[in-house]
């Protein structure tokens, strides 16, 4: 499926700014980065507290920072792993494309389409409020959706390998987003969100 969108267009009708840049590298380069990310990142199953119980996610995650930041989500505190040359290359691409800067990166590995992420916003207290978040995707094409907290309006698009999606302004205050599961997809996908810890 095609997204006929220009990066200059805001995908949201109001209350935030979301720009889809599409692929920001050629597909051979994107495939190479997918392989390197699979091999070089310290992937771990995520532990969450849900209804007071400790649960382990099927998807794998990793969190890296340019400094040893601490970050708490779903009541679990984590310390950022030390920055790597690979992440530096990808952060540079995200910064040049978006004209913004970042100091940390949360990575998610979805082994196949049945793994996804539920509705949430990226509004953890450690994040610099209003700062841009750059989402870079590799591997399987997956659908990504936004839903307005009050009007329940939804906006969705497909995220291609090597693509960049920028969320900024008041987006996280008014919209939640998710990666819906899809039974038909058997290939893995990796997503990186470059963020700014205050
Ligand atoms: O995998 C994605 O595209 C979304 C990831 C996400 O929303 C997050 O890490 O907060
Ligand atoms: Fe998110």
């Amino acid at each position: 499926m095609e997204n006929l969108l220009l990066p200059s267009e805001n995908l949201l009708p109001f209350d935030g700014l979301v720009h889809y840049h599409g692929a920001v590298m050629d597909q051979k380069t994107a495939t190479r980065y997918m392989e390197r990310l699979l091999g070089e990142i310290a992937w771990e199953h995520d532990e969450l507290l849900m209804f007071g119980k400790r649960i382990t996610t099927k998807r794998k995650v990793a969190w890296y920072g340019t400094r040893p930041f601490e970050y708490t989500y779903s009541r679990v505190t984590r310390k950022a792993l030390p920055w790597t040359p690979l992440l530096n290359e990808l952060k540079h691409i995200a910064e040049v494309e978006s004209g913004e800067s970042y100091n940390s990166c949360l990575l998610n590995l979805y082994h196949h389409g049945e793994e996804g992420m539920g509705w949430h916003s990226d509004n953890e207290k450690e994040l610099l409020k209003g700062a841009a978040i750059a989402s870079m995707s590799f591997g399987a094409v997956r659908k990504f959706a936004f839903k307005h907290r009050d009007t329940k309006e939804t906006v969705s698009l497909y995220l291609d390998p090597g693509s960049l999606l920028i969320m900024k302004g008041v987006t996280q205050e008014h919209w939640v987003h998710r990666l819906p599961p899809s039974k038909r997809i058997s290939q893995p996908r990796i997503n990186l969100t470059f963020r700014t810890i205050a």
Side-chain angles (χ1 to χ4, degrees):
M1 235 150 297
E2 282 279 351
N3 295 303
L4 296 170
L5 302 166
L6 297 171
S8 55
E9 287 178 326
N10 182 10
L11 268 58
L12 300 181
F14 43 77
D15 285 348
L17 294 167
V18 173
H19 294 277
Y20 184 60
H21 293 238
V24 295
M25 61 191 73
D26 61 55
Q27 288 308 293
K28 218 175 139 184
T29 305
T31 301
R32 183 73 194 120
Y33 276 130
M34 177 75 185
E35 292 164 355
R36 286 186 66 191
L37 288 161
L38 283 169
E40 294 179 31
I41 295 297
W43 297 108
E44 278 187 24
H45 289 286
D46 202 10
E47 294 214 320
L48 302 173
L49 288 172
M50 249 204 230
F51 311 111
K53 279 204 180 128
R54 192 171 280 274
I55 64 141
T56 304
T57 59
K58 284 183 268 175
R59 73 186 147 81
K60 285 185 170 176
V61 300
W63 187 53
Y64 288 78
T66 57
R67 289 187 279 137
F69 303 111
E70 288 200 346
Y71 190 56
T72 305
Y73 68 92
S74 180
R75 292 188 287 147
V76 181
T77 299
R78 300 162 174 84
K79 199 188 214 120
L81 295 168
W83 204 243
T84 74
L86 170 58
L87 291 175
N88 220 39
E89 283 179 36
L90 296 174
K91 179 167 86 85
H92 182 73
I93 296 171
E95 289 179 337
V96 169
E97 272 292 324
S98 63
E100 308 273 352
S101 62
Y102 310 97
N103 63 14
S104 55
C105 185
L106 179 69
L107 297 96
N108 281 284
L109 165 59
Y110 309 91
H111 298 87
H112 46 68
E114 287 186 58
E115 296 175 9
M117 198 183 287
W119 292 115
H120 70 282
S121 64
D122 300 341
N123 58 357
E124 287 77 13
K125 63 180 192 309
E126 294 88 347
L127 294 175
L128 182 66
K129 221 176 170 193
I133 294 175
S135 161
M136 198 180 266
S137 298
F138 295 98
V141 175
R142 296 281 299 261
K143 192 175 182 168
F144 188 69
F146 291 90
K147 182 170 73 180
H148 193 276
R149 289 183 187 277
D150 302 325
T151 69
K152 310 296 176 201
E153 210 161 326
T154 64
V155 173
S156 58
L157 74 159
Y158 288 89
L159 299 178
D160 294 316
S163 73
L164 193 67
L165 179 83
I166 309 293
M167 304 184 267
K168 57 186 182 181
V170 293
T171 304
Q172 307 299 334
E173 287 164 51
H174 297 283
W175 298 79
V176 288
H177 55 262
R178 73 161 178 160
L179 187 80
S182 166
K183 280 203 189 326
R184 274 187 289 273
I185 296 167
S186 58
Q187 293 304 111
R189 170 176 180 270
I190 288 175
N191 176 263
L192 292 79
T193 45
F194 292 97
R195 300 153 183 252
T196 303
I197 302 288

